[in-house]
Amino acid sequence: MHLGLGFGYDASFNHKIVRIAYPSIKTHPGFPAKVGLYDLSKDNWRSIDAGPLIPYFISDFSPQAFTHGAIHWIAFTCNDSIHDKLPNLIMLFDMENEVFKEMEVPDILGKEHEYNLSVGAYDDTVCVMQYNQWSRDGWNKGSHCSIWVMKEYGESKSWVKQFNIDLGMHKVVCFRGNGEAVVALNDGKLASYDLNRKRISDLGITGNRSYFFAGAYVESLFLLLTRG
C-alpha cells in the first residue's frame, strides 16, 4: 500500500485531509487509486472521485504545497520506459469544490526523474524544486537545486527558473515569509538561506534530514475538538 497525503482548508476554513491510496505502484496502467476525504468539521471520511488522477501516481515521499485554496503534489506515471511515460505534472486538489485538477510543470521538467522534483509554496504562488540527486546510474552526491517559480498562478507559460542553490543540502523544506528558504543540510542541520544574498544561517535545529516538514497556517477562531 502506498499513500499520498494532503492537508488544507476551504474558503470557510473547514480543515480537510486528503488520502490517496494505491494497492501497488507497479500496477499499470490505470491502477485504482482510492481517494478519501476527511472533513474535521464533520468528523467523517468519505470517498472522492479520483478523476484526472488516473493514471498518475502521487508518491508517499512527495511533499505537498498548499496555496490558492488547493493542495499541490508532483504527479508522474510509472512506465519503466522514460520515452513512453506521460509528462510529469502538478496534480492539485481544490479544497472548496473537492475535485482534482492538473497543472503543467516547465517543459524541461516533463521527463525529469520524479525523485528530483518537489513542489512548494512561494510568494503566494507555486514553485518546483529541481534537484540533481538521481540519475539513471542511481543516487549521486549532488546538492544543486534550481527553483522554478510560476509568476502568475495557473499560467503555465509564466514558469521562470528564478533561483539556484549550491550547498551541501538534502532538500528545501519550505519558504519563509521574508523570502528565505529553509533547507535541510546533509549533516542533519536545519538552516535558513537567503536566496538573493546567498547567505546561510543555522537555525539551531538538528534531526533526520529526510523527515523535516513545515506547513503554512493562518490564524483563525477554528476550534479543533478531539475525542478522548
Side-chain angles (χ1 to χ4, degrees):
M1 178 71 71
H2 294 263
L3 292 176
L5 295 171
F7 177 75
Y9 50 87
D10 60 22
S12 301
F13 290 100
N14 293 326
H15 289 65
K16 303 173 183 179
I17 298 172
V18 182
R19 180 183 63 194
I20 306 166
Y22 303 92
S24 173
I25 189 174
K26 295 299 183 181
T27 309
H28 187 83
F31 39 79
K34 295 183 179 180
V35 182
L37 183 69
Y38 180 75
D39 190 326
L40 274 71
S41 66
K42 299 177 180 178
D43 190 24
N44 68 353
W45 282 98
R46 50 195 168 86
S47 297
I48 295 293
D49 183 9
L53 185 62
I54 299 174
Y56 280 90
F57 181 81
I58 293 173
S59 173
D60 49 6
F61 66 76
S62 179
Q64 72 160 59
F66 181 74
T67 184
H68 286 263
I71 304 170
H72 303 70
W73 305 268
I74 293 292
F76 57 94
T77 55
C78 301
N79 198 304
D80 291 334
S81 171
I82 190 171
H83 301 292
D84 296 331
K85 289 180 61 175
L86 295 172
N88 301 319
L89 52 76
I90 294 173
M91 189 67 65
L92 62 93
F93 185 78
D94 183 327
M95 298 296 278
E96 182 69 22
N97 299 306
E98 299 182 351
V99 293
F100 285 97
K101 300 178 181 178
E102 300 176 8
M103 179 182 290
E104 295 179 0
V105 298
D107 290 342
I108 196 172
L109 305 184
K111 296 294 185 179
E112 177 65 88
H113 195 286
E114 57 271 11
Y115 287 176
N116 285 336
L117 301 178
S118 66
V119 68
Y122 174 80
D123 194 22
D124 197 34
T125 188
V126 68
C127 67
V128 174
M129 275 70 71
Q130 177 191 11
Y131 302 96
N132 65 334
Q133 297 176 347
W134 179 269
S135 68
R136 292 185 179 183
D137 298 325
W139 292 104
N140 61 55
K141 296 182 180 180
S143 56
H144 177 80
C145 174
S146 294
I147 301 175
W148 295 77
V149 177
M150 180 176 272
K151 305 298 286 186
E152 297 181 35
Y153 181 80
E155 295 292 333
S156 59
K157 295 182 179 179
S158 69
W159 283 110
V160 174
K161 185 163 68 170
Q162 188 160 336
F163 303 108
N164 288 299
I165 302 177
D166 288 289
L167 295 171
M169 58 168 282
H170 178 64
K171 67 177 181 178
V172 175
V173 178
C174 68
F175 295 93
R176 306 177 71 180
N178 61 5
E180 295 186 0
V182 177
V183 298
L185 303 178
N186 286 335
D187 60 5
K189 293 182 179 180
L190 203 62
S192 185
Y193 182 72
D194 188 318
L195 294 164
N196 295 307
R197 298 181 179 181
K198 300 187 182 302
R199 296 178 181 175
I200 191 167
S201 304
D202 189 352
L203 295 177
I205 300 173
T206 303
N208 188 316
R209 64 182 190 178
S210 298
Y211 295 108
F212 283 120
F213 172 80
Y217 75 95
V218 293
E219 295 182 356
S220 75
L221 297 178
F222 178 81
L223 179 61
L224 178 63
L225 300 177
T226 58
R227 295 179 176 179

